[in-house]
Amino acid sequence: MIYRNPLAKKIIIRLLILLATFFLWTLILSGGSYFIVNLGMLILIGVQVHAFVKEQTANQKAISEFLESLQSNSLDTDEDISSEKDPALKAEFVRIKNAIRTSQKEKEAEYQYFRNIVQHVGIGIITFNQDGDIQLYNFAAKKLLNTTYQIKKIQDLELVSPELVETFETLKTGGRKLVQVNIGEEVRQLSVYAIELQLHDKNFKLISIQNIQSELDEKEMEAWRNLIRVLTHEIMNSVTPISSLSGTTRGMLASQLSEEKSHYTIEHEDMMDLQSSLKTIENRSEGLIRFLNEFRSLTHTPTPKMKEENINLILESICLLMAHDLQNLKIHLVKEFEENLPTILIDRELIEQVIINLLKNSSESFGDETEEKNIWISSNLDAKKRVTVTVKDNGSGIEPEALTKIFIPFFTTKKSGSGIGLSLSKEIMRKHQGNISVQSTLGSGTEFTLKF
């Protein structure tokens, strides 16, 4: 109710006093006319009206100043309140300011809460205005684009990828595009999604980016596995009986040839040729079965049995195992292991398989004209404190066109290679939540890097 308000009560009391004064003056006038009394009553009424007007003017001024302080958002001090003489009005100002401050603090807390969520969410988020000025650039985006330097405008990201910046600027609301970006030694497939926003009559664009490289690799590997399952199933069904029957037939011919008979339905020389042909069929069938079994290993990569391991001890044991073979090939193995590396959670047998495969690939990379054959194997911590293993050689290198395909199943640059070693290595590293990458210069050598 309005009458419970202290200010309203004060105004009502002053009006009642003024009305009482007028009523008293009326009674005096009805009893007779006295100049001094009338003058006194007029002065009393004038004083009351003046006090009332002055008080209302002061209140109006105080309210105006208070509203100006609200408009300028200067709520940090109580100077205007402390100078206010009217206790009721002062108390009302304090109540309103406290309510506004509480509301502002709650909104600020909510803003900081949601800002922290955006900053720490796993999806990269960037917002910028029409001039390219960046308002928000969260930690996930910085990590995805590997930008350690200050980013103020969206054009600064051209150092990472001009195509990416062009995508940011041209995508409209709901637009989506896949952009490949080279970040150091790693290739990242970034899924970019855009939304256009308007705030305070200003246009902004919100960009979300995700690295879907691992998902693409997994889907690609799954497609290869499905293909391999079909191929191996059909080929094995055909080859196995051929191998079995050819072996049985060859055995029957062998038993016939071992017996001395006066005559054969088939010439003896033809029987020998037939036996030799069946032997060839049997050998090639068995070779094809072994070949298919190797491919089948891609579809049955074992689940890693993780244990805390010291990578340097594993590398030392592998170097000891490979030392004899490398010496026979006149290859010098250089070990560069960083001390006091933290232990890592891996399946030792699977990781040994990967590193041995890399060393064998390096040992086969040297041409006949290479005079000094060197392989360097090293371990260290990278800039992100991840344990890293590197296998490097000074062999003939890999052609750029082949370099983009070496992790694809069945692709090989070797005459006798099956093309599954590096594919299997990549699959093993993926199951360890790690990464394998390669750099090569034709004629200078190749370097493989494992990151855990």
Side-chain angles (χ1 to χ4, degrees), residues 90-117:
K90 176 181 176 181
E92 195 66 17
F93 284 172
V94 169
R95 185 186 66 80
I96 295 172
K97 279 202 170 187
N98 286 340
I100 294 174
R101 285 172 181 166
T102 301
S103 177
Q104 285 182 337
K105 287 179 180 178
E106 289 176 353
K107 289 182 178 180
E108 180 66 22
E110 289 180 2
Y111 170 77
Q112 292 299 333
Y113 173 73
F114 288 114
R115 185 178 179 84
N116 284 332
I117 290 177

Side-chain angles (χ1 to χ4, degrees), residues 291-356:
F291 181 73
L292 290 173
N293 284 331
E294 287 183 1
F295 279 166
R296 188 178 284 178
S297 65
L298 273 176
T299 66
H300 299 286
T301 307
T303 302
K305 299 176 182 178
M306 303 295 198
K307 286 179 60 179
E308 292 285 346
E309 299 283 358
N310 185 321
I311 192 65
N312 285 345
L313 295 180
I314 294 175
L315 296 178
E316 286 285 2
S317 65
I318 293 173
C319 290
L320 184 63
L321 177 67
M322 299 288 295
H324 180 70
D325 292 339
L326 295 177
Q327 285 176 1
N328 290 339
L329 295 171
K330 297 181 180 179
I331 297 174
H332 179 52
L333 182 62
V334 181
K335 298 181 292 185
E336 299 173 346
F337 303 149
E338 185 175 316
E339 296 182 358
N340 302 320
L341 290 178
T343 58
I344 52 177
L345 198 63
I346 59 172
D347 184 315
R348 177 168 182 154
E349 292 183 1
L350 292 179
I351 296 302
E352 283 179 343
Q353 182 180 347
V354 172
I355 297 172
I356 289 172

Side-chain angles (χ1 to χ4, degrees), residues 2-3 7-17 52:
I2 188 173
Y3 299 110
L7 292 176
K9 288 181 179 179
K10 192 172 183 179
I11 292 172
I12 291 171
I13 291 172
R14 283 192 174 277
L15 289 175
L16 289 175
I17 293 173
F52 180 78

